[in-house]
Amino acid sequence: MAMPGSSPDTTRSPLQPIWQRAAVLGSLWAASEIVLGSFLHNLRIPFSGHALTAIAVGILVAGHRAWPVPGLLVRAGLIAALMKAVSPSAVLLGPMVAIAMEGVLMEAGVRLLGGRLAGYVLGGALAMSWTLGHKIASLLLTYGWDLVRLYQDLIVLAERQVGSVPLGPWGPLLVLAGLNLALGGAVAAAGSRITPREVGEGRSSRAEGALAEWRGRLGGVPGGGVRPSLAFLALWLTALPLGLLGFGRLPLTGKVLVAALVVLGAASRYRRALRRLGRPGFWIALVAVTLLAGLVMGILSPSGDVGWLRGLGMGVGMSLHAVFVTMCFAALSTELSHPLLRRWLEGVGGGQLHGAVHAAFATLPLVVAALPPPRELLRGPGGALGGLLPRMEEWLQVLREPYRVAGVITGDRREGKTTCAGAVIEALRGEGFRVGGILAPGEIRDGRRWSIDLLDLGTGRRLPMATRDPESPWPTVGAFRVNPEALELGRQALLPQVALEQDLLVVDEVGPWELAGEGWSSALEVLQGREVPLLLVVRRGLLSDVLARFAPQGAPVWDVAITGAEDIAEAVGAALHGAGNDPGKASAARG
């Protein structure tokens, strides 16, 4: 991006074709996780992870058959993993790693045996096996190595009841691994036979609800209002491995002390951390592990009461280990959203990964709209995916038609972005340019935005759009109550037939709602690929995200803290002249 006051941003490279395809495939993968994952979670269906992986394997196989490009699958996995995070406020490390590795393993199978049935079967078998391996690794990380002893004792107990277990403790694990390999291979083979088919339009209510829930999470406050710190990140990155190494060596009293210190430290800084401890399922699992350890060791020990007590002690230690790990990851989830880490991520692969993630976000509402109801997706995944294949090229075309962004006005809250944009508009109109779009002037009370109006620049009509007044009858959206009539006025002001009558279209402002597919997003999507210059007003903290989403090839950026309205108007006017847009004649030329 251009630094404040610097020359326009022209260095951002266009999104490469392989990343465009990966964005579509990753968006489809993420959509299945959002819609189907929400459905399975609400019903508490067992083996939901295997069901989601099976759908993912089918998506990747079908996608690779449509676009047999080396590196497509691993890129789609990275994009879907980052989308799984939803936002910096909810870094779900475990699921993110699982999704990324599934993409890597599918790519490995295709690279080893080629983009044909054998390669797909190998990739699918490896990806499905990772589901089992990831679950085992997660349990070991959560409960520690005492879990291995408990498992071995369970096998000994089983052998007393039913006789020798082949291969001892390894036997059940190898059987599970074989079943996962077979299931993954079968799913991939079925995916290779999926054929495109036409389906009717429509969106399921479950898909709509899941997307709304996802958007609501995206609008959350990172870390519950905590500002990420590199110092705290280093602290937790040090505490986690040291705790994992030392926890098994501590006596029970030492484990209690360490767990209590970590809980107090995490809870004092991260309000969200305590939510992890407030889940009934978390405590049910801990109680079950504790009682199971006591029961097994009590039965196996010659001195039953002593063995029972030792088992309970081991179970309590495992539970404390789980609390320690849970708190550490809750803290890391916040600190990993530090802006420096985000900027580093934005530069990975020359910015292609960052741009592809935002491209995937752009297509997500379209993909979710095309998904069948979750029950249908589970009953007939082949037919459901076959109905989605013809639309992949349609979604890809959305990414190939860029917006024409004439520039971006940026600044922090209450720095005068809207006031500056209004002055720029008046200056351009003084030169004869037709300027349409929307402005959102507001009222500040007690240092915060109290209300927002919506001004249609084309007609001059102004309506109250949002307020913090709790007595307002309008629907609640976040901290505000929002006027549906004003939202409709804004959408009318951004209609293509209205925009084409203007030389410049102003959108104040483009923010979290638009990045999540809400707000003015649907109106902007219709303008994609049209010769309508846009002047966007953007909060400084969202500048990089908005550029990646709406101007991946770069756009001039003006910071109101450095550049005045007169200079911005002069630059925008020169750009419009340079593009052949004489004042007041652009609409006629486009017509």
Side-chain angles (χ1 to χ4, degrees):
M1 90 186 64
M3 294 300 292
S6 67
S7 59
D9 178 7
T10 57
T11 60
R12 191 183 295 272
S13 57
L15 201 59
Q16 298 169 0
I18 186 173
W19 284 104
Q20 292 177 346
R21 292 181 170 88
V24 170
L25 202 56
S27 182
L28 180 55
W29 188 348
S32 72
E33 290 276 341
I34 292 168
V35 175
L36 188 57
S38 173
F39 174 76
L40 295 174
H41 175 75
N42 290 334
L43 294 182
R44 301 292 193 272
I45 295 179
F47 303 107
S48 58
H50 285 75
L52 291 172
T53 302
I55 297 295
V57 168
I59 289 172
L60 292 178
V61 170
H64 191 270
R65 288 180 62 213
W67 300 320
V69 182
L72 175 70
L73 302 182
V74 67
R75 286 174 170 83
L78 288 174
I79 292 168
L82 291 172
M83 295 181 74
K84 179 68 174 180
V86 181
S87 77
S89 63
V91 180
L92 307 174
L93 297 178
M96 288 175 64
V97 171
I99 290 174
M101 283 303 302
E102 289 166 10
V104 169
L105 293 171
M106 281 296 302
E107 183 74 33
V110 170
R111 290 292 186 97
L112 287 172
L113 299 182
R116 53 184 184 272
L117 180 60
Y120 295 143
V121 169
L122 176 59
L126 293 175
M128 188 64 72
S129 297
W130 177 259
T131 303
L132 174 64
H134 179 78
K135 185 63 176 178
I136 293 173
S138 297
L139 289 172
L140 286 175
L141 182 63
T142 301
Y143 293 104
W145 286 103
D146 282 338
L147 185 66
V148 176
R149 181 182 175 185
L150 177 60
Y151 171 70
Q152 291 173 333
D153 288 344
L154 280 171
I155 296 298
V156 172
L157 185 61
E159 288 181 329
R160 287 186 179 182
Q161 303 299 320
V162 300
S164 177
V165 175
L167 300 178
W170 291 103
L173 294 178
L174 291 176
V175 170
L176 288 175
L179 291 175
N180 276 268
L181 284 169
L183 176 61
V187 169
S192 67
R193 294 194 294 269
I194 295 175
T195 56
R197 68 182 185 88
E198 294 299 327
V199 294
E201 297 290 335
R203 173 185 295 184
S204 72
S205 59
R206 169 65 64 176
E208 179 67 35
L211 184 58
E213 178 183 353
W214 176 84
R215 286 166 172 166
R217 292 174 62 195
L218 185 64
V221 179
V226 176
R227 184 181 297 275
S229 164
L230 291 178
F232 277 102
L233 175 62
L235 173 65
W236 290 109
L237 286 176
T238 303
L240 179 60
L242 288 179
L244 292 177
L245 289 173
F247 219 85
R249 298 179 173 88
L250 292 172
L252 185 59
T253 53
K255 295 177 181 179
V256 171
L257 180 60
V258 170
L261 289 174
V262 169
V263 169
L264 290 174
S268 64
R269 176 169 167 79
Y270 315 99
R271 290 179 299 177
R272 298 177 60 131
L274 290 179
R275 298 181 189 176
R276 306 287 182 95
L277 299 183
R279 298 173 181 172
F282 178 78
W283 290 105
I284 291 173
L286 296 190
V287 171
V289 166
T290 301
L291 294 178
L292 181 63
L295 178 64
V296 171
M297 292 192 70
I299 294 175
L300 295 179
S301 175
S303 52
D305 291 341
V306 175
W308 170 257
L309 291 175
R310 286 178 179 174
L312 283 178
M314 186 179 76
V316 171
M318 293 167 63
S319 297
L320 293 171
H321 188 283
V323 171
F324 168 79
V325 171
T326 299
M327 290 295 94
C328 285
F329 275 99
L332 284 171
S333 294
T334 294
E335 305 301 354
L336 284 173
S337 64
H338 194 281
L340 288 179
L341 295 178
R342 293 190 65 197
R343 283 198 286 271
W344 172 81
L345 181 62
E346 291 167 10
V348 173
Q352 290 291 307
L353 175 60
H354 182 66
V357 169
H358 283 281
F361 279 142
T363 60
L364 185 63
L366 301 176
V367 176
V368 171
L371 282 178
R375 292 184 186 275
E376 181 181 331
L377 188 58
L378 287 173
R379 283 197 300 262
L385 292 178
L388 296 174
L389 290 180
R391 301 189 179 183
M392 289 173 59
E393 285 292 340
E394 170 191 333
W395 300 328
L396 185 62
Q397 191 61 30
V398 171
L399 303 182
R400 289 172 173 168
E401 297 179 349
Y403 294 93
R404 182 182 172 191
V405 179
V408 177
I409 296 175
T410 190
D412 273 340
R413 291 183 177 93
R414 301 185 297 277
E415 277 194 341
K417 299 186 298 296
T418 298
T419 301
C420 178
V424 170
I425 292 166
E426 291 305 313
L428 290 172
R429 285 175 170 172
E431 297 180 25
F433 288 105
R434 299 178 184 176
V435 182
I438 54 176
L439 275 185
E443 177 189 359
I444 304 296
R445 289 188 188 179
D446 300 325
R448 64 175 183 171
R449 181 69 66 89
W450 175 259
S451 65
I452 304 171
D453 288 352
L454 191 286
L455 175 62
D456 181 344
L457 294 172
T459 64
R461 188 182 178 195
R462 180 167 178 161
L463 288 175
M465 181 172 66
T467 180
R468 292 182 183 269
D469 185 357
E471 301 300 324
S472 171
W474 300 330
T476 300
V477 180
F480 288 91
R481 293 181 179 269
V482 180
N483 181 5
E485 185 181 356
L487 293 180
E488 182 58 29
L489 176 63
R491 296 187 186 101
Q492 293 294 323
L494 298 176
L495 286 174
Q497 57 267 37
V498 176
L500 288 171
E501 296 300 320
Q502 311 296 332
D503 299 299
L504 179 70
L505 201 67
V506 177
V507 184
D508 175 24
E509 66 179 64
V510 178
W513 282 3
E514 286 68 35
L515 292 174
E518 288 285 3
W520 311 122
S521 176
S522 59
L524 288 171
E525 286 170 6
V526 179
L527 297 174
Q528 193 165 7
R530 299 178 183 269
E531 290 297 317
V532 181
L534 301 176
L535 180 63
L536 308 180
V537 180
V538 178
R539 195 183 309 160
R540 189 181 292 126
L542 298 174
L543 177 59
S544 180
D545 291 341
V546 170
L547 284 173
R549 165 66 178 87
F550 294 98
Q553 299 186 12
V557 176
W558 299 284
D559 195 305
V560 296
I562 297 175
T563 310
E566 184 178 344
D567 292 333
I568 298 174
E570 182 179 350
V572 174
L576 294 177
H577 278 298
N581 292 353
D582 293 332
K585 297 181 180 178
S587 58
R590 284 193 290 269

